Amino acid sequence: MISLNMVWPAIYVYDEIWRFWFLVFVTIIIETFTIMAMLKYSLKKAIIASVVGNLISGLVGTFVMMWAMLFWHLVADNFVPHATFDIINWVATYILMCLGSVFLEVLTIKLIFNDTIKKLFIPLLIGNLLTYGFIAYSMISNSREDDKEKRVEQIFYSPTPNNFILLDSTKLQIFTAKTEISYDENDNMVHTNYPLEVLFKKEKPENFQFELRLLGEEYSGGIESERKIIELDNLSDTIHVILEQKNPDPNKGWTAPIITDTIKFIKRTNK
């Protein structure tokens, strides 16, 4: 069963796309010249088409397709050997997210310049294929780096505060968070980012009433029923995490969430 308390491959792909947000400039340049060559647009018209299309694809398309992939998992997870994170689902995620984003991009350009979908699809697909191809390569490379691990150092962070009464009057307790630094045989760090694992216990584990996200980040990346993974670009002695809750107003809910607390995760010192 798919629920909002789980994670699925599209969340990781979405996060990776935003981690390499600057690729949009490369995509715009490539698409501009592709559109000029294949559609015979002027330079100005091609730039407008590429910029507008990539804004729609990046800001709307990837987000919509991330959630749309839940419908794929609702069916596919019943048939693939390793359920949600089976290799078939990973491949399907890249393909469907790419095609879905391109389709939204095509519809937008069609409305502006009144061209046919058939004519627009291939030129706009090329830039997106390069982006998703790079993201796939990046994630595969990170996976291979795991094989190089020879030593792992664990770092623990204590949350302050760690007990909360949520807006729905239920209790939440947050436990010590943990991240790891991996080293290869030459004692060099293997990874350049650090997944902070935050464990918690809530009174109603079946409900999706709060989210945790790094201070300064707009997107949280999904949460499980008893665990949250926060990707860190660097480590510090204190990590600030926002507790964001579902609005108790039934007419607003998650459309207007409320930030209620800032949690300080303080690094434990070894004694």
Side-chain angles (χ1 to χ4, degrees):
M1 179 180 179
I2 303 296
S3 74
L4 291 178
N5 285 333
M6 68 170 289
V7 292
W8 57 100
I11 288 180
Y12 293 99
V13 175
Y14 181 87
D15 284 346
E16 199 75 359
I17 288 172
W18 280 102
R19 190 161 75 92
F20 292 102
W21 60 269
F22 50 84
L23 286 177
V24 69
F25 298 110
V26 179
T27 303
I28 287 173
I29 293 172
I30 293 172
E31 276 193 3
T32 296
F33 288 101
T34 302
I35 290 170
M36 289 176 62
M38 298 184 69
L39 302 181
K40 307 304 179 183
Y41 280 14
S42 66
L43 176 60
K44 180 180 179 180
K45 188 176 179 181
I47 291 175
I48 292 173
S50 183
V51 170
V52 173
N54 276 280
L55 285 175
I56 295 298
S57 175
L59 298 177
V60 180
T62 53
F63 182 78
V64 169
M65 289 308 301
M66 178 188 73
W67 288 101
M69 286 305 299
L70 281 174
F71 295 100
W72 167 270
H73 289 290
L74 192 63
V75 176
D77 286 5
N78 297 308
F79 300 99
V80 294
H82 303 292
T84 304
F85 289 94
D86 189 88
I87 184 63
I88 294 174
N89 278 338
W90 276 106
V91 174
T93 295
Y94 287 114
I95 293 174
L96 294 177
M97 285 188 71
C98 179
L99 293 179
S101 297
V102 172
F103 186 68
L104 290 176
E105 190 174 340
V106 168
L107 290 180
T108 303
I109 303 305
K110 180 180 183 297
L111 291 174
I112 297 174
F113 296 117
N114 201 31
D115 263 323
T116 64
I117 293 177
K118 182 178 180 180
K119 186 178 179 182
L120 291 168
F121 194 82
I122 297 300
L124 296 180
L125 175 64
I126 292 174
N128 282 273
L129 278 177
L130 293 173
T131 299
Y132 277 88
F134 179 86
I135 296 302
Y137 171 79
S138 171
M139 297 185 75
I140 291 172
S141 297
N142 288 337
S143 176
R144 287 176 177 172
E145 285 180 352
D146 292 338
D147 297 333
K148 301 178 182 178
E149 292 181 358
K150 297 298 180 182
R151 180 173 69 87
V152 176
E153 176 187 356
Q154 294 185 331
I155 300 175
F156 297 92
Y157 288 84
S158 299
T160 304
N162 69 323
N163 287 289
F164 304 89
I165 301 296
L166 300 178
L167 295 178
D168 65 353
S169 299
T170 60
K171 296 178 182 179
L172 167 67
Q173 183 179 11
I174 297 180
F175 303 111
T176 298
K178 178 187 72 173
T179 190
E180 296 179 343
I181 302 177
S182 301
Y183 298 90
D184 61 18
E185 58 186 7
N186 297 316
D187 218 30
N188 296 316
M189 287 193 298
V190 175
H191 302 291
T192 56
N193 63 320
Y194 313 91
L196 181 70
E197 181 185 40
V198 181
L199 300 178
F200 55 82
K201 181 180 181 181
K202 54 183 180 178
E203 193 172 332
K204 293 183 178 180
E206 72 279 3
N207 289 358
F208 178 57
Q209 67 270 63
F210 73 92
E211 180 58 280
L212 298 170
R213 60 183 170 88
L214 196 63
L215 180 66
E217 297 288 337
E218 293 186 4
Y219 179 67
S220 57
I223 191 169
E224 300 177 52
S225 59
E226 296 181 341
R227 185 180 74 149
K228 169 71 181 184
I229 301 295
I230 299 175
E231 294 291 340
L232 304 174
D233 292 328
N234 50 67
L235 293 179
S236 59
D237 291 341
T238 302
I239 300 170
H240 295 85
V241 173
I242 294 296
L243 174 61
E244 187 175 51
Q245 300 190 47
K246 181 180 179 180
N247 196 311
D249 185 339
N251 295 318
K252 295 181 179 179
W254 278 111
T255 61
I258 300 173
I259 296 175
T260 57
D261 299 272
T262 299
I263 307 168
K264 290 183 179 180
F265 284 86
I266 301 173
K267 182 179 178 181
R268 288 184 180 177
T269 56
N270 296 323
K271 295 183 179 180

